[in-house]
Amino acid sequence: MRVWRQLSDLIARRGAAALISVHDVKGSAPREKDAHMVVRSDGAFHGTIGGGQLEFLVLDIAREMLKHGRGPARIVDQALGPDLGQCCGGRVKILVETFDRRDLDDIAPLVAAEDKGGLFDVECRMEDGRVRRELASEADVAPGSQWRETHGEDRTPVLLFGAGHVGRALALALAPLPFSVRWLDDRDDAFPSHVPANVTAVRMRSPESEIAEAKPDSLILVMTHDHPLDMAITAAALQRGFPYVGLIGSASKRARFEKRFRELGLSRERIASLACPIGISGIADKDPAVIAASVAAQLLQARERGERDRNRSPLAVSGDT
């Protein structure tokens, strides 16, 4: 969720809104630090800090604060087990803030940073009971900063080749998930008239160029209308060594393709890394929506592996480039 865009739009339409943020976490908790909810003046909300009694409690606090208008921020410090009966057992601090149209200019740089995509850091400090935020790139650990927040959306790039039944189902399945999808097909009128916000539909001219220009951490899915085209795209993707390359098809299709990949000189390791058939194991239903759900789960697994690998990398620790 684009927190600041959502907050800004609600303020512009309704005059006021509240922001609930997970400020600090000790031990086990339903959500991580910097999870957010945006609460409307009528009590409706967007996002979640994990549900359950904690969320109900803080929503009531935010609604009550909104009744009294824009005011000082509040920290809610809760032990989840003894205080709320939640079995997570940790302790959380929740920051609750109210905003109105007077805050739109201050919010604008954060909205712009979100719109650029990716993650960004914000330096925060309390001034007269309210939180003052500055983009870390501008503030560079601003004097008086008391804590840092991370905002934005960390979306993993996906190249989806093919706009057939499964491709369409998959584009919908990935819509609410943390992916940025480049959806490719070489046929006229292959795409539906409307696509999800995180999907860019592209009339493909050169699959080789798409593979060559893709980010190294991209996840590749191949399900075109043409087997030779599937072969060419998959071979190029395996050659580049993306963290996930998935090809729709049966075990017999994989065997035929593997033979050709060996003839092309692809290594045994690269060929073995191919996901074909696609999707997690144990699901036999071939309905497009079921295949899409299974593949979406597999992509989430690949995304998690990539994040763990980056966190273990010496470069991630040292900050060297």
Side-chain angles (χ1 to χ4, degrees):
M1 181 177 73
R2 294 187 178 183
V3 174
W4 298 106
R5 168 61 68 188
Q6 187 75 249
L7 188 69
S8 178
D9 289 349
L10 282 179
I11 294 169
R13 293 199 309 268
R14 294 176 172 268
L19 176 64
I20 298 172
S21 308
V22 178
H23 181 66
D24 189 39
V25 175
K26 296 289 190 298
S28 177
R31 288 296 304 273
E32 68 284 356
K33 182 181 180 297
D34 294 329
H36 301 282
M37 300 177 70
V38 177
V39 185
R40 295 179 0 182
S41 54
D42 63 0
F45 60 89
H46 305 268
T48 179
I49 57 168
Q53 293 301 315
L54 173 67
E55 188 164 291
F56 296 149
L57 170 68
V58 183
L59 276 171
D60 285 343
I61 291 171
R63 293 179 185 121
E64 188 64 26
M65 289 171 64
L66 282 169
K67 288 180 183 178
H68 294 88
R70 179 182 184 272
R74 177 174 172 181
I75 293 283
V76 181
D77 189 349
Q78 289 289 156
L80 297 174
D83 289 353
L84 297 173
Q86 292 190 214
C87 57
C88 296
R91 190 175 195 96
V92 296
K93 290 183 179 180
I94 306 297
L95 174 65
V96 187
E97 304 169 79
T98 51
F99 299 82
D100 63 18
R101 288 191 173 92
R102 286 171 286 180
D103 299 299
L104 287 175
D105 286 344
D106 290 335
I107 292 172
L110 305 175
V111 175
E114 273 187 338
D115 288 346
K116 290 179 181 178
L119 300 177
F120 60 97
D121 289 331
V122 176
E123 300 288 346
C124 308
R125 63 182 182 274
M126 281 289 189
E127 287 186 0
D128 300 323
R130 294 184 59 81
V131 179
R132 175 71 174 175
R133 291 179 172 87
E134 295 181 68
L135 292 173
S137 58
E138 297 174 0
D140 194 22
V141 190
S145 290
Q146 297 169 329
W147 73 91
R148 175 173 284 201
E149 297 173 341
T150 299
H151 292 274
E153 296 178 311
D154 183 18
R155 293 186 175 272
T156 300
V158 173
L159 268 66
L160 171 57
F161 291 89
H165 293 302
V166 177
R168 289 183 175 221
L170 190 54
L172 293 176
L174 298 180
L177 301 178
F179 298 104
S180 176
V181 182
R182 186 170 173 84
W183 193 11
L184 301 138
D185 200 290
D186 63 354
R187 298 169 295 175
D188 292 326
D189 303 321
F191 301 106
S193 56
H194 298 285
V195 300
N198 66 328
V199 174
T200 302
V202 178
R203 173 75 157 80
M204 181 173 61
R205 302 296 181 185
S206 171
E208 295 83 3
S209 296
E210 293 289 346
I211 292 295
E213 295 169 7
K215 294 180 179 179
D217 62 338
S218 297
L219 310 180
I220 312 298
L221 277 162
V222 185
M223 48 185 69
T224 79
H225 58 96
D226 183 79
H227 276 213
L229 185 57
D230 280 355
M231 173 76 73
I233 295 170
T234 306
L238 290 173
Q239 186 64 52
R240 267 208 64 185
F242 293 103
Y244 173 92
V245 179
L247 169 67
I248 198 168
S250 62
S252 59
K253 179 178 180 180
R254 178 184 184 117
R256 291 196 302 272
F257 276 42
E258 281 189 354
K259 180 176 182 296
R260 180 57 180 152
F261 293 153
R262 288 192 294 270
E263 293 170 351
L264 292 172
L266 287 172
S267 70
R268 181 179 302 176
E269 291 77 13
R270 292 285 173 87
I271 295 172
S273 70
L274 175 66
C276 179
I278 52 174
I280 59 176
S281 61
I283 299 176
D285 195 322
K286 295 184 179 180
D287 183 273
V290 175
I291 295 172
S294 176
V295 173
Q298 194 172 49
L299 292 181
L300 287 170
Q301 291 175 335
R303 170 183 160 87
E304 291 284 343
R305 286 195 301 271
E307 290 182 347
R308 288 196 298 269
D309 290 344
R310 286 195 297 273
N311 290 336
R312 285 196 298 264
S313 168
L315 294 181
V317 174
S318 68
D320 294 338
T321 56

